[in-house]
Amino acid sequence: MRRLATYLTTFWIILELGGCQARNSFEGKLCPWQQQLAAAKAAIRRSDMSPEYLRVVHFGRPKGRGIVANTYIARGEYVTYYNGIRDIIEPDIDDNTYTFQIIHRSTRFWVDASDEDGSYGRLINDEWRIPNIRSRTIFVDGEPHVSFFALRSIIAGEEIHYDYGGSENFLPWRKQDVI
């Protein structure tokens, strides 16, 4: 049993670190995933809510606005973050379209991006079948933030989309797409 735990721990470290610790090629440098995490934290600190490598597109009804890549984004790269008012109390709003819930170590946080502030993270559309980004909670200066990273390579002109989770009971537009 102890051997299995050791193998699983080693596998997780290699998977999570991208093999950085196992190779000496990154000695004295940040691993690729650490570089992307540093990029996310830097963007949050400088309030870069609408980076130039992304743009807003109007898709028309029923989809509305969304975000498209202006340039190629490699797998694992930082894309943008979800900006809004962070609180440990769930927002009391009727339309929670722009509310993101974070659970970290059994503590719940909410990010309410209802206010139009020019940030791109709030305009990322839902795609549950084949999303191209994933979210990751990171802490910057003690505050929780939702950052998005590319799940795969994203080409210029491709829409950025994320799996919101949940079901069509709470996300009615998914019912329209079911064949």
Side-chain angles (χ1 to χ4, degrees), residues 35-37 39-41 43-44 46 48-49 51 53 73-74 76-82 138 146-150:
Q35 291 170 355
Q36 295 309 315
L37 191 58
K41 288 181 177 185
I44 291 167
R46 69 175 180 271
D48 188 2
M49 302 177 295
Y53 52 86
I73 300 171
E77 278 190 18
Y78 165 73
V79 178
T80 190
Y81 72 99
Y82 199 78
I138 62 173
V146 178
S147 293
F148 296 102
F149 296 86

Side-chain angles (χ1 to χ4, degrees), residues 8-162:
L8 290 175
T9 302
T10 303
F11 175 75
W12 179 82
I13 289 171
I14 290 171
L15 181 67
E16 183 66 23
L17 300 180
C20 294
Q21 302 298 343
R23 297 182 301 222
N24 291 332
S25 61
F26 293 107
E27 196 169 308
K29 301 178 189 174
L30 293 176
C31 298
W33 72 270
Q34 290 173 320
Q35 291 170 355
Q36 295 309 315
L37 191 58
K41 288 181 177 185
I44 291 167
R45 283 188 178 115
R46 69 175 180 271
S47 298
D48 188 2
M49 302 177 295
S50 48
E52 62 188 35
Y53 52 86
L54 300 174
R55 72 177 185 275
V56 177
V57 173
H58 295 273
F59 291 106
R61 292 185 183 257
K63 196 172 200 175
R65 295 180 295 171
I67 302 298
V68 171
N70 274 338
T71 60
Y72 173 82
I73 300 171
R75 179 180 180 262
E77 278 190 18
Y78 165 73
V79 178
T80 190
Y81 72 99
Y82 199 78
N83 187 60
I85 299 168
R86 289 177 306 283
D87 204 339
I88 58 170
I89 300 171
E90 184 173 7
D92 184 25
I93 51 176
D94 293 332
D95 180 16
N96 64 355
T97 304
Y98 296 101
T99 304
F100 203 110
Q101 181 181 351
I102 305 168
I103 300 173
H104 180 73
R105 295 186 181 161
S106 72
T107 301
R108 292 177 189 258
F109 301 92
W110 283 268
V111 182
D112 180 6
S114 298
D115 293 336
E116 185 73 55
D117 62 358
S119 63
Y120 288 174
R122 67 187 298 276
L123 300 177
I124 295 170
N125 286 318
D126 180 39
E127 173 55 67
W128 67 100
R129 293 166 296 211
I130 308 173
N132 57 12
I133 60 172
R134 72 176 183 101
S135 66
R136 181 171 179 185
T137 302
I138 62 173
F139 281 77
V140 179
D141 302 327
E143 293 286 330
H145 294 270
V146 178
S147 293
F148 296 102
F149 296 86
L151 281 170
R152 59 172 176 77
S153 297
I154 301 170
I155 59 172
E158 184 177 351
E159 182 180 5
I160 306 297
H161 39 251
Y162 169 75

